[in-house]
């Protein structure tokens, strides 16, 4: 099986690295470069997500993009956290002086629904939040807890400071890819004339940092730049570009936010989705192309294919309308039709191998016999998405993802048999 060992001999290692950098057009991604790895909430396989440590580790592991989710405090400071509340990723429940902040909160928007008893970030000032410590996400028991209580919640500004610092420290460019969480909620709490306080806050911060003005779009990482071994050995590819701080994309699940952002900035907009059937048709992609350069579907849509996925998960759609829009695309055609329109694909989220492959494939209703599209293991899963020509992947355990990407690349270039 493993007749050619990549790591057992340094000569093979260097042969592999230099060949890797020589030719950058063998991957089936839009630009022919390797799939870009996005550190999902930083590196949360080992560190509390969205912590200083998790961002540092993401950079050390040479992810191409480093993701923060963005929400707002009571005093209007943008901070990085996945949830609008605190109990899932912090020690808030153990801080007596904040006990009275716990409340039931209901918010119903077009794209945001919250109904939960918890401590809400928008009820705390930024200064108060500094007393709260991050812990491993409690929804994922496989994650180690040994860095619990070491870090505080960061502002979006200190996240950007951190990215600029690691850019210098590791001498390579990282993309920033903030996701605006629940824009309807924050725009209802903070009023502004155009009703787009949240989006405008983010853009103002990016503009001040030089990310914004007329940026022609985010360049691809240079071939080989993202390789972990390359980073560790400090080997630069021939076509290496020096760190420029300016690689960026902005994500949201709210299509109106995406559309608004697209009128305000040339930074590529990432349209996130798991439940809009009409988007997975040729006409749907024409529509997405009007505001988004990166389409980010829940990964099961690309495993099962859109139609089977929506049927299995009982998401309703209008058959006549879908037919009129050109019909559902297969997973493979979804990629090629996106690429035809200049759209890159960025499915989410690829967990580490302690956590299984995908929701649909770990559900008790489904198994690999009834659903042959389910990957056998993490390698199978990543290789399937690499072979489709997936442009970005949101990954946890970046080290594992790097090893799989290196092995796939090795197979492509050197006729290896990993
Ligand atoms: C919120 O959730 C509770 C408990 O599940 C439910 O009883 C209540 O009806 C929900 N409220 C709204 C407004 O959806
Ligand atoms: C970034 O580096 C500067 C200078 O070394 C330091 O003062 C600052 O605290 C660092 N910021 C972060 C967020 O790491
Ligand atoms: C960063 O990498 C570039 C390209 O290899 C090199 O020219 C430069 O000297 C490096 N800078 C530092 C500070 O190591
Ligand atoms: C389904 O879509 C067709 C074509 O767009 C439309 O004429 C029809 O009213 C829709 N049916 C329903 C139940 O919405
Ligand atoms: C998969 O599910 C089918 C239908 O529920 C069942 O008949 C079959 O035994 C299952 N196979 C495995 C390997 O669990």
């Amino acid at each position: 099986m493993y007749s050619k060992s990549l790591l057992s001999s340094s000569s093979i290692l260097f042969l592999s690295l230099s060949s890797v950098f020589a030719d950058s057009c063998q991957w089936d991604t839009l630009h022919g470069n390797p799939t870009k790895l996005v550190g999902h909430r930083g590196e949360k396989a080992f560190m509390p997500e969205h912590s200083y440590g998790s961002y540092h580790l993401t950079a050390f592991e040479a992810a191409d993009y480093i993701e923060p989710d963005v929400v707002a405090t009571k005093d209007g400071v943008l901070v990085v956290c996945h949830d609008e509340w605190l109990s899932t990723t912090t020690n808030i429940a153990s801080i007596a002086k904040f006990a009275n902040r716990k409340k039931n909160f209901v918010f119903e928007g077009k794209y945001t629904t919250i109904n939960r008893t918890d401590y809400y970030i928008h009820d705390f000032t930024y200064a108060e939040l500094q007393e709260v410590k991050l812990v491993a996400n409690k929804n994922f028991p496989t994650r180690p807890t040994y860095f619990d209580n070491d870090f505080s919640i960061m502002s979006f500004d200190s996240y950007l400071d951190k990215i600029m610092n690691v850019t210098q420290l590791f001498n390579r460019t990282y993309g920033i890819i903030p996701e605006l969480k629940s824009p309807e909620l924050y725009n209802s709490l903070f009023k502004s004339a155009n009703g787009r306080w949240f989006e405008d806050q983010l853009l103002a911060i990016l503009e001040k940092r030089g990310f914004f003005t007329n940026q022609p779009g985010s360049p691809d990482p240079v071939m080989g730049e993202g390789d972990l071994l390359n980073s560790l050995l400090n080997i630069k590819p021939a076509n290496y570009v020096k760190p420029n701080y300016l690689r960026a994309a902005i994500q949201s699940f709210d299509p109106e936010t995406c559309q608004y952002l697209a009128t305000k900035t040339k930074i590529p907009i990432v349209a996130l989705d798991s439940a809009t059937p009409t988007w997975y048709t040729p006409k749907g992609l024409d529509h997405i192309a009007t505001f988004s350069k990166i389409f980010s579907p829940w990964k099961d849509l690309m495993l099962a294919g859109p139609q089977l996925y929506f049927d299995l998960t009982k998401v309703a759609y209008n058959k006549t309308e879908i037919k009129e829009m050109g019909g559902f695309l297969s997973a493979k055609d979804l990629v090629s039709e996106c690429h035809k329109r200049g759209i890159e694909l960025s499915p989410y989220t690829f967990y580490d191998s302690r956590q299984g492959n995908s929701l649909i494939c770990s559900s008790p209703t489904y198994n690999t016999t009834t659903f042959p599209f389910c990957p056998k293991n993490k390698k199978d899963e990543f290789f399937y998405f690499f072979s489709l020509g997936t442009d970005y992947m949101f990954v946890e355990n970046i080290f594992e993802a790097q090893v799989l990407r290196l092995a796939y690349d090795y197979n492509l270039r050197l006729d290896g048999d990993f």
Side-chain angles (χ1 to χ4, degrees):
M1 241 316 242
Y2 294 95
S3 58
K4 294 174 197 159
S5 162
L6 181 62
L7 299 172
S8 65
S9 131
S10 60
S11 63
I12 289 179
L13 172 62
F14 284 101
L15 173 65
S16 147
L17 287 169
S18 53
S19 322
V20 160
F21 306 149
D23 175 358
S24 64
C25 286
Q26 296 191 20
W27 287 66
D28 288 326
T29 53
L30 179 60
H31 301 300
N33 287 324
T35 303
K36 289 162 270 205
L37 301 177
V38 182
H40 183 240
R41 310 183 198 175
E43 170 51 286
K44 66 190 212 183
F46 302 107
M47 292 271 179
E49 62 192 50
H50 294 298
S51 66
Y52 184 94
S54 95
Y55 294 133
H56 189 91
L57 190 55
T58 315
F60 176 75
E61 292 176 310
D64 302 302
Y65 282 74
I66 303 180
E67 190 209 34
D69 293 322
V70 177
V71 296
T73 64
K74 186 178 181 178
D75 48 346
V77 178
L78 300 192
V79 294
V80 297
C81 186
H82 173 263
D83 302 315
E84 297 80 357
W85 56 83
L86 291 165
S87 74
T88 313
T89 55
T90 76
N91 67 347
I92 186 71
S94 66
I95 305 179
K97 69 189 266 199
F98 293 138
N100 63 352
R101 305 282 175 94
K102 193 173 186 177
K103 69 177 191 194
N104 184 246
F105 177 70
V106 177
F107 181 86
E108 275 184 83
K110 232 161 120 182
Y111 309 105
T112 308
T113 306
I114 298 172
N115 175 4
R116 182 184 171 97
T117 300
D118 212 304
Y119 307 82
Y120 282 87
I121 289 174
H122 61 257
D123 288 334
F124 290 77
T125 63
Y126 179 66
E128 285 173 334
L129 281 181
Q130 296 317 292
E131 299 178 44
V132 177
K133 298 294 176 203
L134 294 167
V135 301
N137 188 313
K138 292 172 190 162
N139 293 335
F140 295 90
T142 52
R143 292 196 189 135
T145 53
Y146 38 61
F147 294 115
D148 280 11
N149 305 315
D150 284 352
F151 305 103
S152 307
I153 293 185
M154 292 170 86
S155 65
F156 180 59
D157 246 325
S158 45
Y159 154 84
L160 290 171
D161 281 344
K162 180 64 187 162
I163 302 304
M164 295 197 173
N165 281 11
V166 290
T167 302
Q168 278 169 2
L169 180 62
F170 297 113
N171 196 18
R172 64 186 295 280
T173 299
Y174 300 95
I176 63 153
I177 184 163
E179 179 189 342
L180 286 173
K181 305 301 289 191
S182 306
E184 291 169 300
L185 168 64
Y186 297 106
N187 287 330
S188 77
L189 295 172
F190 298 94
K191 306 288 185 200
S192 72
N194 67 359
R196 294 283 170 196
W197 175 88
F198 195 38
E199 293 87 337
D200 289 345
Q201 286 290 306
L202 183 91
L203 293 176
I205 293 172
L206 294 180
E207 181 170 21
K208 206 171 76 197
R209 300 255 182 179
F211 276 96
F212 180 77
T213 316
N214 292 328
Q215 195 196 172
S218 79
D220 258 16
V222 171
M223 181 63 217
E225 185 195 34
D227 288 340
L228 179 67
L229 291 173
N230 171 32
S231 167
L232 293 178
L233 299 172
N234 199 26
I235 298 168
K236 302 290 181 200
N239 49 350
Y240 174 81
V241 209
K242 71 179 169 55
N244 62 29
Y245 306 116
L246 292 179
R247 186 182 296 154
I250 306 174
Q251 327 163 55
S252 185
F253 272 103
D254 182 329
E256 293 174 31
T257 288
C258 290
Q259 283 166 316
Y260 173 75
L261 289 169
T263 66
K264 292 284 165 190
T265 175
K266 291 186 174 144
I267 294 175
I269 306 304
V270 186
L272 296 159
D273 183 67
S274 65
T276 313
T278 54
W279 280 7
Y280 300 83
T281 63
K283 283 200 173 148
L285 294 182
D286 289 344
H287 170 65
I288 292 173
T290 63
F291 60 88
S292 166
K293 292 199 174 66
I294 305 167
F295 181 32
S296 185
W298 166 238
K299 67 176 176 182
D300 281 353
L301 278 150
M302 291 175 66
L303 266 182
Q307 174 156 17
L308 182 55
Y309 175 79
F310 289 126
D311 289 345
L312 290 174
T313 54
K314 302 192 166 48
V315 173
Y317 56 87
N318 177 333
K319 281 189 181 137
T320 317
E321 187 187 17
I322 295 292
K323 203 169 158 207
E324 282 172 4
M325 296 183 76
F328 278 124
L329 294 160
S330 67
K332 205 169 167 36
D333 291 345
L334 183 64
V335 181
S336 58
E337 291 295 315
C338 277
H339 287 174
K340 256 192 226 167
R341 290 163 177 78
I343 301 173
E344 294 182 293
L345 267 155
S346 178
Y348 65 96
T349 299
F350 297 86
Y351 308 115
D352 89 357
S353 44
R354 291 168 296 183
Q355 286 176 236
N357 290 323
S358 114
L359 283 188
I360 208 168
C361 296
S362 39
S363 143
T365 330
Y366 312 126
N367 65 38
T368 51
T369 315
T370 44
F371 298 101
F373 56 79
C374 288
K376 288 195 295 288
N377 54 41
K378 199 50 54 182
K379 177 185 153 217
D380 225 33
E381 183 189 34
F382 271 67
F383 277 32
Y384 168 78
F385 281 90
F386 290 150
S387 70
L388 278 181
T390 302
D391 302 281
Y392 300 73
M393 287 161 76
F394 285 94
V395 303
E396 308 192 6
N397 200 335
I398 297 147
F399 188 92
E400 183 172 53
Q402 290 280 20
V403 170
L404 292 169
R405 181 168 69 169
L406 196 60
Y408 186 83
D409 194 74
Y410 177 77
N411 284 356
L412 270 187
R413 279 157 218 289
L414 296 181
D415 199 21
D417 53 5
F418 276 110

